[in-house]
Amino acid sequence: MDVSPEQQGGAPVLVRRRPPPPPGLRRTLKARLRRSCVCSARGARALVQGLFPATRWLRRYSPREDLAGDVVSGLVIGIILVPQAIAYSLLAGLQPVYSLYTSFLANLIYFLMGTSRHVSVGIFSLLCLMVGQVVDRELLLAGFDPAQDGAGPGDNGSALNASAASLAPGLRDCGHDCYAIRVATALTLMAGIYQVLLGVLRLGFLSAYLSQPLLDGFATGASVTILTSQLRHLLGVRVPRHQGLGLVVRTWLSLLQSAGQANLCDVLTSAVCLAVLLAAKELSDRCRHRLRVPLPTELLVIVAATLVSHFGQLHARFGSSVAGDIPTGFVPPRVPDPELMWRVALDAVPLALVGSAFSVSLAEMFARSHGYSVRADQELLAVGCCNVLPAFFHCFATSAALAKSLVKTATGCRTQLSSVVSAAVVLLVLLWLAPLFRDLQRCVLACVIVVSLRGALRKARDVPQLWQLSRADALVWVATAATCVLVSTEGGLLAGLLLSLLSLAGRTRRPRAALLARIGGSCSYEDTAEFEGLVPEPGVQVFRFAGPLCYTNKDFFLSSLYSLTGLDAGRAAAGRAGRGPEPLVSEDRGPASSTAALVPAPAAGFHTVVIDCAPLLFLDAAGLATLRDLRRDYGALGIALLLACCSPPVRDALRRGGFLGHGQEGAGEEAQLLHSVHDAVQAARARHREPAPANSSL
């Protein structure tokens, strides 16, 4: 209950609030079960609105304020999405029509289930790369040639492989393209199931462990891998699609060996398209404040290249590889193959993690910048459903994409209704316009992919600044990117995650420790190693440990305390108990020094040690035992131990652990736990009736 501060001797006294007794586990479980099992119209409506946030914000939608911005941004994203969808099919090793299916369904599902107003969900280059690597591996194991570019004009791509008899009975009627999309849908369904489970179990916070340096390094390293994979299309050479460790290095070696077989038509087309696209991107970046709508450069280049290829008959005359037939309409849905799902279950884990991390981080980034909130668990559900449901309609993995989300915001997007407009543009292409891209050269699609990597590759310029800010984060960035390039994308993600966790553990393992002294005549205390002119407290050592006290750093806590105060209390107390030599102290007051000279204990010159617990985040059992043993050792030497600025969780841990006299409250607790460092110093001086410190400073 609330209790007002009382006055005692003219000074305010804090009276602790009596917390209510916590409910038992059985009572808590029964209450939650009762709430979840009660069915009512209000509860059902809240459940539907929680799963489908669009049902809530659509009722407040204002066409006068929001419709124009949503329509413009949706049209722009749709125009950008169509060429990118066709191009990214190269990364996934699939036919372009499947990318269009994916873009269409993902936009509709996220419109219904997403909580972000500005994120654009669809095909993402990094996920396409990861899907393509799994597809290539499974094609190779099934006896297909992963380097096969797919169908050309006049070829429906339905020729069966000679080793089709070795496939599962349900897959024996499959050709190269059929088997590839079945692998991709099985992988996508597994990744979506993982993401949905993360959302249902409310594990959205796990995405926070994929730090921003890790994600940036992964994006840069994967971009180098993507760039390498597209060089064969830019040059028009036929090289094997390598798998496993060292993919980038082996691909470069194969490209160098096949450079003499480059298709001159593809090389010239790639040079022209890259020059136009890069120049247009630079112009758009410099004039972005003047341009209301970004230039649809990719669409213009693809349309022009398609016309040149069609009327110039580049495929027939020069052997240039083209996109081939893109069918219109939709194919019947199909359940992903269970055997393939089992085979790719492990490959779906990094795919789900990367997609979840990018989607949640982008949603939170745009929510902060525009002043609203998102729900991480609902975002996981939305992205997971964008993978689970489309997997039955020949689609592959999707997530939020930064580049398209930025364009969406810049063109005036107000709500996710813009996703419906983008889906309508893709549907228009699917129903009527797709066959027009039949003669589009694959090298042009590769140019679109390469130019889209500019943002991720430019992140390498941020490494020097990141090094100055945090060397540990810079090391995570470099190690993740290097492992992605030299080993594999999955290996890079794993290496970055391990290094991030080790970096976090290292910072907890050896936090900063310091002795404090008083700032002049004030009541504040600061680090004596960092500031000059501080006034030391005679007979009192004030110690600060800037981190939690737990089993990983308890030894460092003790060694830092002993070294800075100059007294090894453990050895000194043991020596006195065994009637050994006089306790020893260290003349060197440097942190954790192992070469300090030892002198008799009376030279320590202090009677009280105050520990500033303000930075102490938490205590575990080992940390509590360390404090208990430290108080015992100091007590054996006649030195008092006081704790100051303890947070409520630390106080509760001390009380439950018996540090405060088996949980007794009152004078005993208040005498050991002080509200400020200055109160602790004053209490120590009052006990020993010492005068105030002189003006001598450090």
Side-chain angles (χ1 to χ4, degrees):
M1 61 180 180
D2 294 331
V3 181
S4 303
E6 299 177 358
Q7 296 288 334
Q8 182 176 4
V13 177
L14 287 176
V15 179
R16 187 172 304 281
R17 194 188 300 269
R18 300 280 186 178
L25 179 60
R26 182 179 178 181
R27 182 179 176 184
T28 302
L29 292 178
K30 286 178 63 177
R32 290 185 178 181
L33 186 62
R34 187 181 300 112
R35 287 197 302 268
S36 61
C37 293
V38 171
C39 184
S40 64
R42 183 177 181 182
R45 183 169 59 253
L47 178 62
V48 171
Q49 291 179 349
L51 288 177
F52 303 100
T55 59
R56 180 177 302 169
W57 60 260
L58 276 176
R59 293 179 299 172
R60 303 189 302 267
Y61 189 81
S62 174
R64 177 177 299 179
E65 297 179 2
D66 302 332
L67 186 60
D70 287 341
V71 170
V72 171
S73 64
L75 289 174
V76 172
I77 292 298
I79 292 172
I80 294 175
L81 197 58
V82 169
Q84 283 194 355
I86 298 174
Y88 285 174
S89 63
L90 294 180
L91 283 176
L94 304 170
Q95 289 299 302
V97 68
Y98 301 128
S99 298
L100 296 174
Y101 293 161
T102 303
S103 302
F104 172 72
L105 290 175
N107 276 280
L108 291 181
I109 294 173
Y110 191 80
F111 156 73
L112 293 172
M113 302 189 65
T115 59
S116 174
R117 304 174 191 171
H118 300 89
V119 161
S120 176
V121 172
I123 52 176
F124 184 33
S125 58
L126 300 185
L127 298 189
C128 290
L129 172 68
M130 300 174 75
V131 170
Q133 290 176 345
V134 178
V135 168
D136 289 347
R137 185 196 67 203
E138 293 300 321
L139 285 174
L140 189 62
L141 292 176
F144 294 102
D145 181 11
Q148 180 182 335
D149 286 337
D155 181 8
N156 60 11
S158 62
L160 297 179
N161 189 274
S163 61
S166 63
L167 300 177
L171 301 173
R172 289 177 182 172
D173 58 340
C174 261
H176 177 280
D177 297 332
C178 170
Y179 191 70
I181 188 58
R182 292 198 186 181
V183 173
T185 54
L187 178 66
T188 300
L189 180 56
M190 290 303 300
I193 291 174
Y194 294 152
Q195 292 170 331
V196 169
L197 287 177
L198 289 175
V200 170
L201 299 177
R202 301 182 181 276
L203 299 177
F205 67 92
L206 292 179
S207 62
Y209 288 94
L210 296 179
S211 63
Q212 195 60 45
L214 185 155
L215 294 176
D216 289 344
F218 179 77
T220 303
S223 297
V224 174
T225 306
I226 294 172
L227 175 62
T228 302
S229 69
Q230 297 308 299
L231 287 177
R232 69 189 188 98
H233 297 294
L234 296 176
L235 300 177
V237 296
R238 187 178 178 86
V239 296
R241 299 186 69 165
H242 296 286
Q243 291 290 311
L245 304 180
L247 178 149
V248 173
V249 177
R250 288 186 290 158
T251 302
W252 273 98
L253 293 176
S254 299
L255 288 169
L256 292 176
Q257 294 174 358
S258 305
Q261 305 171 7
N263 188 304
L264 184 59
C265 179
D266 286 343
V267 173
L268 292 177
T269 304
S270 300
V272 173
C273 291
L274 284 175
V276 173
L277 288 171
L278 290 174
K281 289 295 183 183
E282 290 296 330
L283 181 63
S284 297
D285 291 344
R286 295 184 181 184
C287 303
R288 61 180 179 271
H289 300 295
R290 302 179 184 177
L291 295 174
R292 170 66 176 171
V293 176
L295 298 175
T297 313
E298 292 91 345
L299 183 62
L300 296 177
V301 168
I302 283 181
V303 170
T306 303
L307 293 175
V308 171
S309 176
H310 175 73
F311 291 106
Q313 298 183 356
L314 301 184
H315 175 69
R317 295 172 59 188
F318 303 103
S320 182
S321 179
V322 296
D325 291 324
I326 304 178
T328 57
F330 292 88
V331 295
R334 188 184 184 97
V335 178
D337 185 79
E339 183 178 346
L340 285 177
M341 291 173 58
W342 177 255
R343 290 176 58 176
V344 300
L346 190 60
D347 300 294
V349 174
L351 191 69
L353 290 178
V354 172
S356 302
F358 275 100
S359 299
V360 173
S361 61
L362 287 179
E364 292 177 344
M365 181 185 75
F366 283 102
R368 285 193 302 268
S369 61
H370 290 83
Y372 62 93
S373 61
V374 295
R375 290 180 287 144
D377 296 325
Q378 179 62 26
E379 284 296 306
L380 288 175
L381 275 176
V383 176
C385 289
C386 286
N387 288 324
V388 170
L389 300 178
F392 295 87
F393 296 89
H394 308 276
C395 302
F396 56 93
T398 59
S399 73
L402 175 61
K404 291 190 285 291
S405 300
L406 290 174
V407 173
K408 198 172 185 178
T409 305
T411 51
C413 171
R414 302 296 297 270
T415 68
Q416 279 298 330
L417 190 65
S418 61
S419 298
V420 179
V421 180
S422 301
V425 175
V426 177
L427 181 63
L428 177 67
V429 175
L430 269 172
L431 295 181
W432 293 289
L433 302 181
L436 299 179
F437 298 101
R438 175 175 179 270
D439 292 318
L440 176 61
Q441 293 171 269
R442 288 178 177 264
C443 63
V444 178
L445 299 177
C447 290
V448 173
I449 294 174
V450 170
V451 173
S452 69
L453 303 176
R454 291 166 59 252
L457 293 175
R458 282 180 174 178
K459 292 182 182 294
R461 300 187 299 188
D462 300 334
V463 175
Q465 181 180 0
L466 184 62
W467 177 263
Q468 296 178 356
L469 180 64
S470 172
R471 295 187 176 184
D473 288 341
L475 180 61
V476 170
W477 193 104
V478 173
T480 304
T483 309
C484 281
V485 173
L486 300 178
V487 183
S488 66
T489 52
E490 294 83 359
L493 181 64
L494 180 60
L497 180 59
L498 290 178
L499 277 177
S500 295
L501 295 178
L502 287 176
S503 172
L504 182 62
R507 296 172 187 179
T508 307
R509 170 71 178 83
R510 297 179 67 87
R512 181 177 176 82
L515 286 182
L516 308 183
R518 193 172 179 181
I519 304 176
S522 69
C523 299
S524 301
Y525 292 75
E526 268 301 344
D527 186 353
T528 58
E530 187 174 356
F531 297 96
E532 298 179 354
L534 302 180
V535 180
E537 296 292 338
V540 180
Q541 296 281 10
V542 183
F543 177 72
R544 174 187 290 167
F545 192 69
L549 181 55
C550 55
Y551 71 98
T552 61
N553 61 15
K554 60 184 180 62
D555 294 331
F556 181 74
F557 170 85
L558 291 176
S559 63
S560 300
L561 175 62
Y562 293 162
S563 177
L564 288 169
T565 59
L567 172 64
D568 188 336
R571 294 179 58 188
R576 175 170 294 186
R579 297 182 179 182
E582 193 171 7
L584 300 178
V585 298
S586 167
E587 288 183 334
D588 184 358
R589 301 296 177 92
S593 173
S594 61
T595 59
L598 298 178
V599 296
F606 60 90
H607 52 71
T608 304
V609 172
V610 176
I611 298 180
D612 180 8
C613 298
L616 209 65
L617 301 178
F618 63 87
L619 280 172
D620 67 356
L624 190 61
T626 300
L627 287 179
R628 191 184 297 113
D629 294 342
L630 186 64
R631 183 177 62 178
R632 181 199 62 205
D633 294 339
Y634 275 139
L637 300 175
I639 298 175
L641 177 65
L642 301 179
L643 306 182
C645 305
C646 293
S647 63
V650 172
R651 282 177 174 265
D652 292 340
L654 293 172
R655 189 180 298 111
R656 291 194 306 268
F659 184 84
L660 304 176
H662 302 287
Q664 296 176 358
E665 299 183 3
E669 177 177 339
E670 297 301 327
Q672 298 176 69
L673 305 184
L674 285 303
H675 295 291
S676 69
V677 173
H678 187 65
D679 290 345
V681 172
Q682 294 296 324
R685 285 166 46 190
R687 288 181 182 180
H688 292 77
R689 296 183 176 86
E690 290 191 354
N695 291 330
S696 59
S697 60
L698 294 177

